[in-house]
Amino acid sequence: MKENQVPNNAADAAAPAGAPIHSEPAAACPRRVRLLVVDDSYLVRQRWGELFQSVASVDVVGSAGDGPQGLALFRALQPDAVVLDLHLPGLNGLDLLGLIKQERPDCMVMVCTAYTGNEFHQQCLERGADFFFDKFQAFEEVAVVLRRMADPDQPGPAGRARPALPPHPDLSLLRLQDEALTAAANAIIIAHRDGTIAWANPAFARLSGYAMAEILHQNPRFLKSGRHDAAFYARMWRTILAGEVWRGEVVNRRKDGTLYTEEMSITPVCDAGGAVRHFIAVKQDVTGRQQAERDLRRLNRALRILSEGNRALVRADDEATLLRDICRIIVETGGYPLAWVGYAENDAARRVRPAAHAGPGDGFLDVLDVTWADQEHGRGPTGTAIRTGRPCVVDDFATFPHFPRLRAEAARRGYAAAVGLPLVARGQTLGALTVYADAPGAFAAEEERLLMELAADLAFGVAGLRERLGSPLKTAP
C-alpha cells in the first residue's frame, strides 16, 4: 500500500481503492489501539473481530450491525479507530462517517466497502475518511494502519519486515453465507453464550412479529408462552451448554399475543478449545401443520362416531338404551370427556331434563339447572341449541361471557369447549345432544357437521321408536 498526498482536484480524487485519503497521520494515539467495527454482516463482524484482535496492540472494543448502534457505541466507547462499512441500516455509513468526524476529528476512520467506485471514494473524501479500502482485500492494509497507530515508528508496507499476519479472510464467502442466512425461509437466530441475541434474520422477525430493533440484544425469553415449565428450559440449557444439539418443539407467543408452535434445533458453536461461545437456533413454524393434523384426527374420530352411532340406531329396541349407547360411543370412541342428551320440558321454567349421559360427569348436570329459556341458565350450548334449533359451539369456556356458573363448573372439571346439537324430528325440537371437550377450539366445522348428522340420525331414531310404541313427540314450542 503506497500513501499518496491528498488529491487537489476531482481527477486526483478518483484514486484506486486502498489509497489513503489523508497523508498526514491522525493525532497521537495510545500504545494500544481501541478499535470499533461497524458492518451490517454479522459473520463479517465476527470474523474481523477475531482477526483484528490477533494484531499486536489492538483491542476490538465493540462491533455494531447498524448505523444507530454504531454511533451509540462510538460515543460510549470512544475508540481510537473505526472500521466502517457504507451499507448500513438505520443510518448509512456516509452519514455515520460525517458524524464521527464532526465529533472526533482525531478518530481514524477506515471505510471498508464493496462499493469501490470513484464516486464512493469521492464522497468518503468529502466526509473526512482517513482510508478507503475494498472490503474483500482490506485486512492486511487495515492491520498495517493499526500497527502504525500503535507504534508510529513502525514502517509501512515498503519498510522492513513486519510480524506475520493471519491469512487474509475470504470476506466474499462470508458475505455469501450472510446473505444465505438472511434469505432463508426458516427463522434463524445467533445468540451469545448467555442467550442474548446477536443476530436474527428477517424470517424470525416475521415469525415473532417483533421488529429487528426489538429483537437484537434481547434474551429470547420474551417469547415465552407459559406452556413450558422451568424443568423444560433447564433440560434445554443443560444439553446445549454440554456442547450437544437440542431438538424439540416449543410453543411461543408472538408480539400480538397469539401462540405458535415451532420446531427448533439449537446448535452450539465452540472455539478451538471446545468451549461454547455461541448458539445457532433454526426454527420452523409448524402451527398450521399441527392444526391440519389435529383437524384430520378429529374428522376421522367424528366419522368413527357416526359409523358406530348408525349401527347402534339399527340395533336399538328402546329409547333409553339408544340414548345411552350414543353417549357412550361419543365418549369411548371419540375420546370426549362428557356427552349427554337433554329433553326440553314445556313447563313454566322451560327446564332441560337429562335423559342419558356418558363420562364421569361428577354431578355436573345436577348443579347446572339447565333451561332452554332466554335467560342466564338457558344461554349455554344446550339451551341455545334447543331454543334456536341450530348448533351452538362454545370454543373456549375461559372467554365464554354467558352462564357464569357453567363456565366455573366446566373449568373445575377441565372442560374447555362444548357443542350443543339440537334434536329435531318431524320439524319439532325434542332436546339437544351436548358434547364437551378438554381442549379449546375442539370442534372444527367439518367435525361439527358430522356430529350434527349424528344428532339428526338420533332424533330420527327416537321419533321412530316412539311411533312404534305409539308415544307422542314432546317438543319445545
Side-chain angles (χ1 to χ4, degrees), residues 53-205:
Q53 192 69 47
S54 69
V55 176
S57 302
V58 174
D59 293 323
V60 180
V61 295
S63 67
D66 58 55
Q69 185 191 14
L71 181 60
L73 288 179
F74 169 75
R75 288 169 172 168
L77 300 175
Q78 293 294 300
D80 306 306
V82 178
V83 171
L84 178 65
D85 188 14
L86 289 183
H87 180 71
L88 296 173
L91 177 68
N92 68 56
L94 280 172
D95 290 339
L96 178 56
L97 167 61
L99 290 170
I100 289 174
K101 282 299 186 179
Q102 181 180 346
E103 296 183 15
R104 291 262 317 281
D106 65 314
C107 181
M108 177 75 73
V109 179
M110 291 164 280
V111 174
C112 297
T113 179
Y115 302 113
T116 56
N118 291 335
E119 68 276 16
F120 296 110
H121 187 275
Q122 179 64 33
Q123 289 171 356
C124 291
L125 166 70
E126 294 169 353
R127 300 295 177 97
D130 295 279
F131 288 88
F132 181 89
F133 295 123
D134 180 340
K135 175 187 287 189
F136 303 126
Q137 305 294 327
F139 173 66
E140 285 199 24
E141 288 85 349
V142 173
V144 170
V145 172
L146 293 173
R147 280 206 315 272
R148 295 192 67 189
M149 288 181 68
D151 181 5
D153 295 329
Q154 180 77 225
R160 64 178 182 270
R162 56 185 183 270
L165 295 172
H168 188 285
D170 187 351
L171 295 185
S172 60
L173 179 58
L174 288 178
R175 171 63 71 178
L176 174 62
Q177 292 170 343
D178 190 71
E179 290 174 349
L181 291 174
T182 299
N186 284 356
I188 302 172
I189 63 173
I190 300 176
H192 298 294
R193 181 184 169 89
D194 64 358
T196 305
I197 297 174
W199 180 89
N201 69 344
F204 178 74

Side-chain angles (χ1 to χ4, degrees), residues 347-407:
D347 57 3
R350 295 187 170 183
R351 290 185 176 85
V352 177
R353 174 175 56 85
H357 83 277
D362 188 25
F364 180 63
L365 302 179
D366 298 332
V367 301
L368 290 182
D369 190 22
V370 177
T371 76
W372 58 276
D374 191 12
Q375 47 94 348
E376 182 179 299
H377 284 235
R379 291 176 184 150
T382 304
T384 302
I386 295 173
R387 187 172 59 256
T388 64
R390 297 191 298 272
C392 176
V393 176
V394 177
D395 278 321
D396 190 349
F397 277 118
T399 58
F400 185 58
H402 313 299
F403 206 166
R405 188 172 186 180
L406 170 60
R407 183 171 65 244

Side-chain angles (χ1 to χ4, degrees), residues 223-234:
L223 297 171
K224 281 187 177 181
S225 64
R227 292 293 183 88
H228 307 286
D229 58 17
F232 173 86
Y233 293 104

Side-chain angles (χ1 to χ4, degrees), residues 180-448:
L181 291 174
T182 299
N186 284 356
I188 302 172
I189 63 173
I190 300 176
H192 298 294
R193 181 184 169 89
D194 64 358
T196 305
I197 297 174
W199 180 89
N201 69 344
F204 178 74
R206 292 192 296 270
L207 176 61
S208 66
Y210 287 90
M212 200 62 73
E214 299 173 299
I215 294 169
L216 297 179
H217 316 301
Q218 302 298 317
N219 189 291
R221 68 171 62 95
F222 69 87
L223 297 171
K224 281 187 177 181
S225 64
R227 292 293 183 88
H228 307 286
D229 58 17
F232 173 86
Y233 293 104
R235 288 192 297 271
M236 177 193 295
W237 275 102
R238 280 198 302 270
T239 300
I240 59 179
L241 287 174
E244 300 174 3
V245 177
W246 183 91
R247 295 182 179 88
E249 291 186 356
V250 181
V251 178
N252 279 330
R253 188 180 303 276
R254 293 187 178 89
K255 185 177 181 179
D256 64 7
T258 58
L259 300 182
Y260 65 97
T261 303
E262 60 184 32
E263 281 183 349
M264 179 169 63
S265 66
I266 306 177
T267 303
V269 179
C270 302
D271 61 18
V276 175
R277 295 179 52 198
H278 293 87
F279 304 107
I280 299 178
V282 180
K283 304 161 175 279
Q284 180 176 3
D285 186 358
V286 295
T287 310
R289 187 188 75 194
Q290 289 189 342
Q291 184 61 51
E293 292 171 350
R294 285 193 294 269
D295 289 346
L296 181 59
R297 288 195 297 269
R298 290 169 179 169
L299 180 60
N300 289 334
R301 176 176 64 184
L303 287 170
R304 289 195 300 270
I305 292 172
L306 183 60
S307 176
E308 293 189 27
N310 286 333
R311 285 198 291 270
L313 284 165
V314 170
R315 297 193 302 265
D317 291 325
D318 67 274
E319 183 175 332
T321 300
L322 173 61
L323 298 181
R324 287 195 299 269
D325 283 347
I326 293 297
C327 290
R328 176 185 55 78
I329 289 168
I330 291 172
V331 171
E332 293 181 359
T333 300
Y336 293 102
L338 176 65
W340 69 287
V341 173
Y343 283 145
E345 298 291 340
N346 287 316
D347 57 3
R350 295 187 170 183
R351 290 185 176 85
V352 177
R353 174 175 56 85
H357 83 277
D362 188 25
F364 180 63
L365 302 179
D366 298 332
V367 301
L368 290 182
D369 190 22
V370 177
T371 76
W372 58 276
D374 191 12
Q375 47 94 348
E376 182 179 299
H377 284 235
R379 291 176 184 150
T382 304
T384 302
I386 295 173
R387 187 172 59 256
T388 64
R390 297 191 298 272
C392 176
V393 176
V394 177
D395 278 321
D396 190 349
F397 277 118
T399 58
F400 185 58
H402 313 299
F403 206 166
R405 188 172 186 180
L406 170 60
R407 183 171 65 244
E409 293 295 333
R412 191 165 71 85
R413 293 166 173 81
Y415 303 152
V419 58
L421 307 160
L423 299 175
V424 181
R426 312 283 197 275
Q428 301 176 6
T429 303
L430 308 179
L433 168 63
T434 306
V435 182
Y436 285 79
D438 55 11
F443 300 99
E446 188 62 18
E447 186 173 13
E448 177 190 337

